[in-house]
Amino acid sequence: MKRGLCLLVTGTLMAAMAAGCGGTDGKGGAEDGAQNNTQGNAQENQQEETGGGADGESAGNGENQTKEVIKVLSVGTEADQYTKTMRELAEEFSRNNEYGVTVEFELYENEQYKTKLATLMASNNVPDIFFTWELGYLEPFVSSGKVMSLQEALDADPAWRDSFLEGVLDYFTYDGETYAIPSQIAYGTMFYNQAIFEEYQLQAPETYEEFCHVCEVLKENGVAPMALAGSEAWIPAQFILQLTLGTGGAETYNAIMKGEEVWNNEAYIQAAAEAQKMVEKGWFADGMLAMSYDEAIMKLESGEAAMYYMASWDASGFVADSCPIKDTIRTFNMPPVKPEHKNLVVGSADTAYALGKDCANPEACIAFLKYITSKDWQERDLAANAKMPTVSVEVNEQELSPLVASITNNLKDASVYPWWDRAFGTGEGEAFNNACLAVFGGEEVQGAFDELQQFAESNADR
């Protein structure tokens, strides 16, 4: 596993989105699949499981049933705005590719997807193309020889290889070989209803003290300051991780990544304690611990809650015409507890796809990966779904919706640090999530993080 990685998103990425200027260097990164972490049932297949997966929710054009079908196993539900985009993408590629293939997506809700993919990997029925997270999640599949290296394809097409923003492929590179291609950058941000803020004469906070003031004013006026889906442990964990970046900064994060710092360090204890104080003060909507992902979004959209901390991937739903607060939703980066740790955000390269080792038609599959990371498609995806590009693009910022412009502007000069459950996988990553959930549930902070550190010491394969 690669350690000590951080995607540094600089002003050059913003330049790529302003006044039609071409982009150059930039870096970026994302947690538990999150952009598609909405509730829903898997699209059940009707055929026997095979390496390509059985027929799931089709995203092909259905015109020529004799065409070879490429199956893409992916996270998603019919409730996702992004699902519609991927269907459109698959239909376009299926109509226009030179390989005579049809692309079809088989979709599963987040946790079901993990179980499905693990089952297929264990039985050596690896899909043609499959969605993956980075770092510690993908590494075991690569180590066991289940994933095709894409390095030869990248090197054979320097224009494609060099189109990616600096650093975005690093999260999917093991021993010098890249095994997956990310199609967006996602980072943690605070969505807020500007109309509610204006009603109580509030502005997006720039300091932690201002943030606390906003929460107090909202609470005093009967509005839940924040909505949070505590039913999924990674969601409270990403909030606390964001707070840790504001208490311990990059130095503490990188030291943990390298195994040079303990989990129960002072900065992490302070951050977790801050989160627990927020719970005790009633700054989260009632029922937070049992609240589902979709229910938290509904709290924001209904006006019951004024803010909602989540990764930028959720913007795709908020820009949809069906969103009741489409015109008033904006974002701000969570202010750090310590001002010197400004512009550090949770995030990563996201929505990545890899090829099974025994993929039947690698040329066509690689062509599809090139299609979803083409400049044209990434520009459209940014404008329509607020998906931050992984390649250099040309976008007139004035043509972006206020929400998309808000998300792109807040990424300026930010440094992006991956979720721990992606960096460390099912070991310490999940243990960190569970410790954070316990803190939100009222467990003593020091004890929760002492247990996390004990777990880390008892499991040497970091």
Side-chain angles (χ1 to χ4, degrees):
M1 179 192 305
K2 288 199 150 212
R3 300 271 177 115
L5 285 175
C6 163
L7 293 179
L8 304 175
V9 182
T10 65
T12 53
L13 176 59
M14 292 306 302
M17 299 177 186
C21 298
T24 54
D25 293 341
K27 305 178 183 177
E31 195 280 340
D32 223 347
Q35 95 276 0
N36 289 316
N37 251 333
T38 56
Q39 301 299 307
N41 295 322
Q43 310 305 308
E44 295 298 335
N45 55 63
Q46 303 295 322
Q47 300 178 359
E48 180 182 1
E49 285 186 357
T50 63
D55 285 343
E57 182 63 32
S58 172
N61 61 13
E63 293 178 355
N64 185 354
Q65 298 302 317
T66 63
K67 282 186 175 182
E68 177 186 354
V69 175
I70 291 177
K71 293 288 187 178
V72 182
L73 195 71
S74 187
V75 172
T77 73
E78 283 307 303
D80 298 333
Q81 175 69 21
Y82 196 57
T83 296
K84 300 174 184 177
T85 299
M86 296 308 291
R87 180 176 290 109
E88 177 185 344
L89 177 93
E91 289 174 350
E92 284 188 13
F93 181 80
S94 297
R95 286 194 304 267
N96 302 324
N97 74 84
E98 63 183 270
Y99 302 94
V101 300
T102 295
V103 172
E104 294 182 356
F105 276 78
E106 185 179 342
L107 305 174
Y108 292 86
E109 180 272 332
N110 187 70
E111 293 304 318
Q112 291 174 321
Y113 176 81
K114 292 179 181 178
T115 301
K116 176 74 173 182
L117 183 62
T119 300
L120 292 174
M121 289 287 183
S123 60
N124 291 318
N125 289 318
V126 184
D128 295 327
I129 303 175
F130 62 93
F131 174 100
T132 184
W133 295 283
E134 72 278 26
L135 295 170
Y137 181 84
L138 181 60
E139 192 273 338
F141 300 138
V142 171
S143 296
S144 59
K146 302 295 179 67
V147 188
M148 180 181 295
S149 171
L150 301 175
Q151 195 60 49
E152 183 176 342
L154 286 164
D155 291 340
D157 188 348
W160 182 41
R161 180 194 62 203
D162 298 341
S163 69
F164 291 97
L165 300 175
E166 182 183 348
V168 298
L169 298 180
D170 289 350
Y171 288 131
F172 307 91
T173 300
Y174 308 87
D175 297 326
E177 302 260 325
T178 299
Y179 286 84
I181 301 297
S183 63
Q184 71 160 310
I185 294 168
Y187 72 99
T189 189
M190 187 69 80
F191 293 91
Y192 72 99
N193 188 330
Q194 188 177 50
I196 294 178
F197 271 47
E198 290 177 352
E199 181 178 354
Y200 299 109
Q201 299 180 327
L202 297 171
Q203 295 181 339
E206 296 184 0
T207 68
Y208 190 70
E209 290 72 23
E210 290 175 356
F211 171 76
C212 292
H213 172 71
V214 166
C215 291
E216 289 289 0
V217 171
L218 292 168
K219 178 65 177 176
E220 290 171 0
N221 285 277
V223 179
M226 293 177 282
L228 184 138
S231 63
E232 301 182 45
W234 70 266
I235 296 177
Q238 76 168 351
F239 186 77
I240 289 181
L241 178 55
Q242 179 61 57
L243 292 177
T244 69
L245 292 173
T247 57
E251 181 178 356
T252 301
Y253 182 97
N254 289 330
I256 290 177
M257 178 74 89
K258 297 174 182 177
E260 298 172 354
E261 177 60 276
V262 295
W263 289 98
N264 54 349
N265 63 78
E266 182 179 350
Y268 273 45
I269 296 299
Q270 180 184 5
E274 287 294 321
Q276 194 169 76
K277 289 177 186 177
M278 295 180 194
V279 176
E280 294 169 352
K281 291 178 179 180
W283 289 0
F284 294 97
D286 291 343
M288 174 264 297
L289 288 176
M291 192 174 295
S292 72
Y293 197 102
D294 285 348
E295 288 170 339
I297 292 174
M298 290 174 62
K299 292 288 185 183
L300 179 68
E301 292 185 339
S302 68
E304 294 179 60
M307 297 181 288
Y308 166 71
Y309 183 80
M310 182 48 65
S312 56
W313 53 61
D314 268 10
S316 62
F318 295 133
V319 296
D321 290 336
S322 59
C323 177
I325 58 173
K326 174 184 177 182
D327 296 328
T328 62
I329 190 168
R330 302 289 187 273
T331 66
F332 63 83
N333 290 346
M334 184 70 185
V337 175
K338 298 180 179 180
E340 62 267 30
H341 299 315
K342 187 178 180 181
N343 291 329
L344 307 181
V345 296
V346 178
S348 188
D350 196 50
T351 316
Y353 292 93
L355 272 56
K357 178 69 173 180
D358 298 320
C359 173
N361 194 334
E363 288 188 355
C365 290
I366 290 171
F368 181 70
L369 297 185
K370 291 182 179 182
Y371 199 80
I372 65 176
T373 54
S374 66
K375 178 181 175 182
D376 173 68
W377 182 261
Q378 294 247 310
E379 289 174 354
R380 283 191 286 160
D381 206 16
L382 170 65
N385 298 301
K387 301 297 185 184
M388 301 297 294
T390 55
V391 302
S392 300
V393 299
E394 296 179 2
V395 175
N396 186 340
E397 190 174 339
Q398 295 180 344
E399 297 178 356
L400 301 178
S401 71
L403 174 58
V404 177
S406 173
I407 289 173
T408 57
N409 285 330
N410 289 336
L411 193 56
K412 183 178 181 180
D413 297 326
S415 298
V416 187
Y417 295 82
W419 292 261
W420 281 134
D421 61 354
R422 293 191 180 194
F424 289 111
T426 58
E428 290 164 87
E430 287 193 3
F432 174 79
N433 290 355
N434 292 332
C436 293
L437 179 59
V439 167
F440 267 78
E443 185 172 323
E444 195 265 330
V445 173
Q446 187 69 54
F449 277 78
D450 286 347
E451 289 182 14
L452 172 58
Q453 177 58 28
Q454 184 176 7
F455 175 88
E457 293 173 0
S458 300
N459 294 269
D461 54 342
R462 295 184 58 179

